Amino acid sequence: MLFSTRENLLSLYNAVNYSHYTDPKELEIVTLKNAVYMNMKNDQAFLLDMQLNLYEHQSTWNPNMPLRFLFYVAKEYQMLVRNQTLYASALVELPTPHFVVFYNGEKEREAEGLLKLSHSFMQKTEHPELELLVKVLNINLDKNLEILETCRLLKEYMLLVHKIRRYAIEYKDINQAAEKAVTECIDENILAEFLRKNRAEAIEVCIFEYDEKRETELIRKAEFAEGEKVGEAKILLNLIEKGILTKEQAL
């Protein structure tokens, strides 16, 4: 929501690329609408200066972003060239793609990283015939300070996130934490105008994301515990087959 306008999206682009574009009209938003891949919707996609920029926000670490971006960009290109033929002798020109993930998870990560589609290939090769590079920018308050200072809106968003996390620990209640954080941000002129207009929705999204993250963690813990049980069962079965244990002893 914060970066759904051309003005705000241009400020984010300038911060990421150390550029100085000033006319939001030069930017064309082409974010995928009603297109869901791998249960995720494309966050932001836009054209600027013959470039196709695809931005995603992640609050949990995901090494599969190159593959997801591959799906996104294929659909974007299909949409952009839908009125052209691929069977003519003329070359179909495409805007140059750039892929960026804004990571603000609590798991410690470097300020900037790089994910490659080739990391997913089962057979490794020095020169992959298909590659996709994703720049990962850690936007937590102690990382990438220059980008945060250049794009004030991004910094204020992270100040809100930081407050919610702090109060979630203090109050043990995400509803109370979100209410407290939003009220405090408005009082301190942090995303004040946006939060006044979208207070209820902003709080609802914060609660949903927190609950979704907690649910994901619980599922992972359950899967790990189940994996341990399967592993123990295999060990016991192996011992029984070797005659080291009887079935009664294993039980």
Side-chain angles (χ1 to χ4, degrees), residues 2-3 7-16 102 139 144-158 191:
L2 285 171
F3 294 100
E7 292 79 7
N8 292 344
L9 201 48
L10 184 61
S11 71
L12 182 60
Y13 175 87
N14 281 333
V16 170
F102 297 92
I139 57 170
N144 281 302
L145 297 179
E146 186 175 355
I147 291 177
L148 292 175
E149 292 299 334
T150 304
C151 184
R152 181 68 189 176
L153 196 62
L154 187 63
K155 182 179 180 179
E156 290 186 2
Y157 165 71
M158 282 311 305
L191 296 180

Side-chain angles (χ1 to χ4, degrees), residues 211-222:
D211 288 341
E212 186 179 47
K213 181 181 176 184
R214 183 173 57 181
E215 182 67 21
T216 300
E217 289 174 349
L218 290 174
I219 291 173
R220 286 176 178 171
K221 286 180 180 179

Side-chain angles (χ1 to χ4, degrees), residues 189-243:
N189 200 30
I190 298 170
L191 296 180
E193 183 180 353
F194 173 83
L195 292 174
R196 287 193 191 98
K197 291 180 179 178
N198 305 281
R199 181 187 182 99
E201 189 170 3
I203 291 174
E204 182 182 351
V205 168
C206 291
I207 293 171
F208 174 80
E209 182 175 323
Y210 184 88
D211 288 341
E212 186 179 47
K213 181 181 176 184
R214 183 173 57 181
E215 182 67 21
T216 300
E217 289 174 349
L218 290 174
I219 291 173
R220 286 176 178 171
K221 286 180 180 179
E223 289 175 343
F224 182 77
E226 186 63 27
E228 284 189 321
K229 288 181 182 179
V230 171
E232 290 174 0
K234 287 182 178 179
I235 292 173
L236 291 174
L237 182 60
N238 188 41
L239 293 174
I240 292 171
E241 289 176 348
K242 291 181 178 180

Side-chain angles (χ1 to χ4, degrees), residues 101-163:
V101 166
F102 297 92
Y103 169 78
N104 72 335
E106 296 180 78
K107 188 174 181 179
E108 181 63 26
R109 288 287 174 179
E110 64 272 21
E112 183 174 326
L114 184 68
L115 295 175
K116 298 181 179 182
L117 180 65
S118 59
H119 290 163
S120 298
F121 297 163
M122 289 185 285
Q123 187 180 84
K124 305 304 177 185
T125 175
E126 187 176 348
H127 303 289
E129 295 176 24
L130 177 64
E131 186 61 283
L132 190 150
L133 307 178
V134 178
K135 180 190 289 186
V136 183
L137 296 174
N138 190 333
I139 57 170
N140 281 294
L141 291 175
D142 60 336
K143 312 286 185 182
N144 281 302
L145 297 179
E146 186 175 355
I147 291 177
L148 292 175
E149 292 299 334
T150 304
C151 184
R152 181 68 189 176
L153 196 62
L154 187 63
K155 182 179 180 179
E156 290 186 2
Y157 165 71
M158 282 311 305
L159 288 170
L160 170 63
V161 171
H162 180 71
K163 288 179 182 292

Side-chain angles (χ1 to χ4, degrees), residues 106 162-178 180-181 184 210:
E106 296 180 78
H162 180 71
K163 288 179 182 292
I164 292 173
R165 287 174 178 169
R166 189 179 73 206
Y167 290 133
I169 295 173
E170 181 177 339
Y171 295 123
K172 310 296 183 184
D173 182 327
I174 186 58
N175 295 271
Q176 189 177 358
K180 171 75 172 177
E184 193 171 282
Y210 184 88

